[in-house]
Amino acid sequence: MKKNNGLEVIQVCKKYADQTVLDNVSFSVKPEQHTVVLGESGCGKSTLLRVVAGLFAPNAGKITIDGNRVSSANQIIIQPHLRNIALVFQDLALWSNLTVLGNITLVLSAKKFSAVNVKKQAKDVLEMCGIISLANRKPSETSGGQQQRVALARAIVLQPKYLLLDEPFSGLDLVTKYDLMEEIVALADKKNITIILVTHDPFEATFFAKQALILSRGKIVESGLFKDLLAQSQNPIMLKFRSQLQKTNDLPAVND
Amino acid sequence: MFDWIPDSHFVTATTRSLVVMFSTIVFSVGVGLPLGTLAGLYQFRRKRFLLGILAIPLLMPSFLWAIGLSQFQELFTISGFSHSSGALGSVFVFSSLLIPLSIYTSMLGVKSVSPHQIDAFILAGSALWAFFQVLKRTAPITILISILAGIMTLSDPGPGLILGFPSAAAEILISFSALFDFDLARQQCFFIAGLSLFFFLPIMLFLGSHLSAVLLAQESSSIKLVENSTVQRYAAPTFIILLIIIIGIPLVGLFKPLWQGIDFNYALKTIQRTWLNTIFYSTNSGLLSTVFALTFVLFFGHYQKIRIAMLSFSLLFIILPSSFVALNVLELGASVSTSWDWLFRGRLLISAVLGLRFFPIATLLVLNRYASISPTWFEAAKISGVSKTKFYLQVLIPFLAPSLALSVLVISLLATAEIGTVLLLRPPGEDSFPLAIFTVMANASEIKVSSLCLIYFVISAVNLTVLWTIFGKKA
């Protein structure tokens, strides 16, 4: 890989059978410019993440990462695990028959580290994510927030440059969600990871985003700096965001 | 030139078998559908235990139940054991197998109705109305499975032979085991196979996807069981009465001669002679069937359309008469060179044919667990660079292990109870234990037959207890 020039999606199209899911989508993400992808359900947000990750090839267009072409029309040029990308899935995709530690070590073992090294790295990342005490538990024996941390630990243990988050916070209570989001942003800043987040939640968006893309029926209808879009956009999604944020600001102050 | 149409005698026997088949289906659905819906929907005392006992007839060869019924009739000197009572007896024996199946299928059908739907039914009307709404939704799959199981009665000779009812399957058995006329047996088998397909194909064409959807229903949709005082009071006694009728009566008849003594010596000698073969046939069938199923699931489990098509197609192996498959295998064996004798004249052939016959059941058991795996599991492995071999060995196969173990056990038990294939394909002197019972039942004393039946029942009951203890909670 060349030096960190960012990620570029150029005129990408993706179809399932006769249905166009992504239609001529183009955008770029500069290093450490956390980006949020917004849009109604079924508009192609998750497909966009999968195409970027290299799980699907686009039907047209190309994707470059740090100046290297990784996908072009109907072709995966660089395999997903060689793209320096990690993905946290909406359902977290934790392998339920393995322990928390097992989930991490299996991913590390793919990198041909020595057994001792694998264990050490796995324990380090669990420590960093605050879940070392859960190492020998099965994912089903942990809480929703802890499972989210396990998924995050599994994603960052390979030290990716890009972390794709596919609505991973849905279903979490407010306190856990914000704790986790703060930790992810801190971790990303510390490790120079660029986040691309798919969400419906305006507060999650404001938390992460420097840049925003609004997707509608497979097309990018607006993009730019998140704060600019929030101030000026007439897109129904941004209007709703704005009104919700204003309502929150109108709330009376609470004494501790 | 092979004549496809059998003589009028066999056609009449087939008509009689069809009447028994339809009566069995109607009776089994009539009893099994409401009771299965009830058991799926409501919690009541001793439910798990009663439902476990209910599985006993499914693991026993039907001819044992027929012997039991026959001896029960003698015990109470029920007279008039003519064609009509033979037909009624056959309906009783087959219903004893089909009613548990209908009940289990209805329970599975209830799982495909979401808890919210059930709550909505209860809020919209009474609990009784909700019950009938759920029953309406479980009916198609219960009727479908009962018809498929009913088709299988066409090729089961046991009850017909024992109860003096000249069924089509009994005629086929006589053709090859008494008359040694293999051409006649093959012609009759083709006729029954054609008839089975005639009923099977339209059902699968119209309802195949529905069948797969319900049979592969996920645990996540399992409902919260409803408490109801009336059901609590009456459900358990109703199930006990059913168990007394379909299990108690045949067992009383089966073990009646044991009041005069048990011939343990004879039973032990028979076991000594047959236990190795029985275990060889059944365990290898279970293993082969499960390996076939696992291979299929790993290759095609991902593709919804292929798995529905394959599942529907593979049901053919169960529907077709076992004697039809066995006779064709024999024919094939006769046409190949002697270098294939290790396969066509060996014991492994029986396991392979039985393994193939029960492959759809193994596939269902494995697919049911496989279908609960999120596609993101594979994506997570791919994006992390975990190789397919590592992923299969460390994640997928260990995850499927409980269903693989269940499959080996269930298929082994089902294969043990299957005698048609063993009867036709066994090398000389290589009987299985149930086949030994089947071959001596006409000539040996009642005490000897009952002693063998007791041993068979005890072994099956122990196996069932093990199965139910390990897997019952999930079931």
Side-chain angles (χ1 to χ4, degrees):
Chain A
M1 286 268 175
K2 293 175 191 170
K3 67 177 184 136
N4 199 344
N5 289 332
L7 184 149
E8 264 194 295
V9 174
I10 302 157
Q11 295 179 332
V12 160
C13 296
K14 179 71 192 168
K15 284 183 177 181
Y16 293 131
D18 291 337
Q19 195 193 354
T20 302
V21 185
L22 296 176
D23 187 1
N24 214 19
V25 170
S26 298
F27 65 91
S28 61
V29 178
K30 288 180 190 149
E32 291 159 59
Q33 184 185 42
H34 301 327
T35 300
V36 62
V37 183
L38 301 158
E40 72 271 19
S41 298
C43 70
K45 301 187 297 287
S46 294
T47 304
L48 178 63
L49 287 194
R50 281 169 166 76
V51 171
V52 169
L55 294 169
F56 306 148
N59 297 112
K62 64 176 181 178
I63 297 168
T64 64
I65 295 177
D66 298 341
N68 296 298
R69 188 185 287 207
V70 293
S71 293
S72 57
N74 301 313
Q75 200 185 359
I76 301 279
I77 298 167
I78 294 181
Q79 289 301 314
H81 63 285
L82 302 172
R83 294 185 177 201
N84 272 336
I85 277 184
L87 173 56
V88 177
F89 296 87
Q90 191 171 6
D91 66 1
L92 305 180
L94 296 174
W95 299 310
S96 63
N97 58 312
L98 299 181
T99 60
V100 167
L101 185 67
N103 267 273
I104 312 292
T105 52
L106 182 60
V107 164
L108 281 169
S109 67
K111 292 289 171 192
K112 298 192 170 48
F113 295 127
S114 70
V116 180
N117 209 350
V118 163
K119 259 223 161 114
K120 187 186 173 309
Q121 286 198 50
K123 286 194 170 164
D124 286 350
V125 80
L126 290 178
E127 188 86 58
M128 193 194 303
C129 294
I131 45 173
I132 186 71
S133 59
L134 308 175
N136 294 318
R137 287 201 207 164
K138 295 272 174 73
S140 59
E141 296 162 358
T142 62
S143 69
Q146 289 167 336
Q147 287 180 19
Q148 230 95 7
R149 283 190 165 84
V150 178
L152 181 69
R154 192 178 66 179
I156 62 170
V157 74
L158 295 176
Q159 301 175 347
K161 282 186 184 167
Y162 299 92
L163 178 60
L164 314 183
L165 304 172
D166 188 2
E167 298 186 53
F169 308 110
S170 48
L172 281 186
D173 67 87
L174 208 62
V175 176
T176 311
K177 183 194 284 192
Y178 278 90
D179 282 350
L180 201 63
M181 289 197 304
E182 274 176 357
E183 285 167 30
I184 290 176
V185 171
L187 204 70
D189 291 343
K190 187 175 156 193
K191 300 262 177 190
N192 300 327
I193 298 171
T194 309
I195 294 171
I196 300 178
L197 169 75
V198 159
T199 186
H200 288 112
D201 186 328
F203 299 101
E204 284 178 24
T206 51
F207 209 97
F208 281 96
K210 289 177 183 160
Q211 179 183 231
L213 311 168
I214 302 175
L215 212 59
S216 179
R217 294 182 184 179
K219 287 185 176 176
I220 292 187
V221 288
E222 273 190 85
S223 63
L225 288 178
F226 183 71
K227 59 178 182 184
D228 294 345
L229 286 180
L230 195 60
Q232 296 154 14
S233 170
Q234 292 304 306
N235 184 282
I237 292 175
M238 294 313 278
L239 287 173
K240 264 274 184 277
F241 269 32
R242 200 149 58 222
S243 88
Q244 280 202 36
L245 286 170
Q246 276 164 358
K247 274 183 202 163
T248 316
N249 290 335
D250 288 344
L251 285 174
V254 181
N255 293 327
D256 286 330
Chain B
M1 181 71 186
F2 189 81
D3 188 2
W4 297 93
I5 307 295
D7 57 24
S8 61
H9 176 70
F10 186 75
V11 173
T12 312
T14 307
T15 313
R16 277 194 295 263
S17 294
L18 283 174
V19 172
V20 167
M21 179 188 103
F22 283 116
S23 310
T24 305
I25 293 168
V26 169
F27 185 60
S28 303
V29 171
V31 176
L33 177 61
L35 282 181
T37 309
L38 188 88
L41 207 47
Y42 292 97
Q43 193 60 276
F44 51 85
R45 283 192 334 148
R46 305 254 176 242
K47 180 176 149 180
R48 202 170 147 242
F49 174 74
L50 293 170
L51 288 171
I53 300 274
L54 195 64
I56 288 176
L58 292 175
L59 301 177
M60 306 283 279
S62 61
F63 75 85
L64 287 191
W65 251 222
I67 295 174
L69 182 67
S70 165
Q71 292 181 164
F72 185 85
Q73 285 172 320
E74 285 167 23
L75 183 68
F76 292 95
T77 55
I78 299 168
S79 59
F81 200 51
S82 63
H83 274 194
S84 64
S85 67
L88 280 178
S90 297
V91 172
F92 176 88
V93 170
F94 288 134
S95 298
S96 303
L97 308 177
L98 255 69
I99 288 172
L101 197 65
S102 297
I103 289 176
Y104 290 139
T105 313
S106 299
M107 289 178 69
L108 206 62
V110 174
K111 267 190 161 190
S112 66
V113 184
S114 80
H116 303 302
Q117 273 177 298
I118 293 168
D119 286 345
F121 289 144
I122 293 172
L123 289 172
S126 63
L128 189 68
W129 189 76
F131 173 80
F132 281 109
Q133 290 307 309
V134 177
L135 185 137
K136 228 164 76 180
R137 280 155 183 79
T138 56
I141 181 69
T142 308
I143 294 170
L144 174 63
I145 289 289
S146 300
I147 292 175
L148 292 179
I151 295 172
M152 291 167 71
T153 65
L154 284 178
S155 53
D156 187 342
L161 276 179
I162 291 154
L163 298 170
F165 174 66
S167 65
E171 293 292 331
I172 296 174
L173 189 71
I174 291 166
S175 296
F176 67 69
S177 65
L179 305 176
F180 298 105
D181 188 342
F182 279 76
D183 280 340
L184 177 65
R186 240 160 52 84
Q187 180 204 45
Q188 292 168 336
C189 276
F190 265 106
F191 188 70
I192 292 296
L195 206 61
S196 302
L197 286 178
F198 175 77
F199 291 112
F200 172 77
L201 288 178
I203 291 170
M204 289 320 296
L205 279 178
F206 290 114
L207 294 167
S209 57
H210 184 79
L211 173 79
S212 308
V214 175
L215 292 183
L216 300 178
Q218 292 312 299
E219 288 161 37
S220 58
S221 63
S222 66
I223 62 153
K224 195 180 79 192
L225 294 161
V226 182
E227 303 252 342
N228 181 299
S229 60
T230 314
V231 173
Q232 293 253 338
R233 205 172 308 140
Y234 295 111
T238 308
F239 269 88
I240 290 170
I241 291 169
L242 176 73
L243 292 175
I244 289 173
I245 295 172
I246 67 169
I247 299 176
I249 288 177
L251 284 185
V252 168
L254 204 57
F255 300 142
K256 181 202 74 175
L258 298 179
W259 290 117
Q260 296 153 31
I262 301 175
D263 195 339
F264 267 127
N265 264 346
Y266 178 74
L268 285 176
K269 267 184 195 161
T270 311
I271 289 178
Q272 243 171 8
R273 184 167 58 83
T274 57
W275 75 273
L276 261 179
N277 285 329
T278 311
I279 290 177
F280 183 91
Y281 298 144
S282 60
T283 313
N284 283 330
S285 311
L287 287 172
L288 282 172
S289 218
T290 306
V291 169
F292 292 153
L294 179 65
T295 312
F296 164 70
V297 166
L298 292 183
F299 277 101
F300 302 112
H302 239 49
Y303 310 102
Q304 175 84 355
K305 279 183 182 165
I306 294 181
R307 71 185 186 200
I308 289 174
M310 187 66 186
L311 199 60
S312 310
F313 176 72
S314 63
L315 281 172
L316 261 178
F317 290 119
I318 286 194
I319 299 303
L320 289 175
S322 57
S323 47
F324 171 80
V325 179
L327 282 168
N328 280 297
V329 169
L330 276 179
E331 180 86 1
L332 182 69
S335 65
V336 297
S337 78
T338 49
S339 59
W340 285 95
D341 276 3
W342 63 272
L343 177 65
F344 284 100
R345 307 213 186 285
R347 293 186 303 172
L348 195 62
L349 181 69
I350 294 174
S351 302
V353 171
L354 286 173
L356 210 60
R357 180 165 171 76
F358 293 113
F359 162 70
I361 295 175
T363 307
L364 260 180
L365 292 170
V366 182
L367 253 185
N368 191 273
R369 184 138 173 99
Y370 183 89
S372 71
I373 295 174
S374 164
T376 56
W377 277 31
F378 298 88
E379 293 181 336
K382 199 172 175 188
I383 208 165
S384 317
V386 178
S387 69
K388 274 193 176 166
T389 317
K390 255 190 189 159
F391 181 67
Y392 281 9
L393 290 178
Q394 291 190 36
V395 179
L396 208 54
I397 293 176
F399 180 79
L400 294 175
S403 63
L404 297 176
L406 179 65
S407 166
V408 172
L409 286 170
V410 169
I411 305 300
S412 297
L413 287 172
L414 291 174
T416 309
E418 158 71 47
I419 51 161
T421 307
V422 185
L423 182 66
L424 271 166
L425 297 179
R426 75 194 192 284
E430 305 281 6
D431 286 3
S432 67
F433 184 55
L435 184 62
I437 306 176
F438 189 74
T439 42
V440 301
M441 69 185 179
N443 308 316
S445 69
E446 282 188 348
I447 292 177
K448 282 183 174 166
V449 175
S450 286
S451 302
L452 295 177
C453 292
L454 176 69
I455 303 283
Y456 190 92
F457 175 76
V458 169
I459 294 171
S460 293
V462 168
N463 284 326
L464 181 66
T465 311
V466 172
L467 258 179
W468 203 247
T469 309
I470 301 173
F471 299 104
K473 261 186 193 159
K474 269 208 148 174

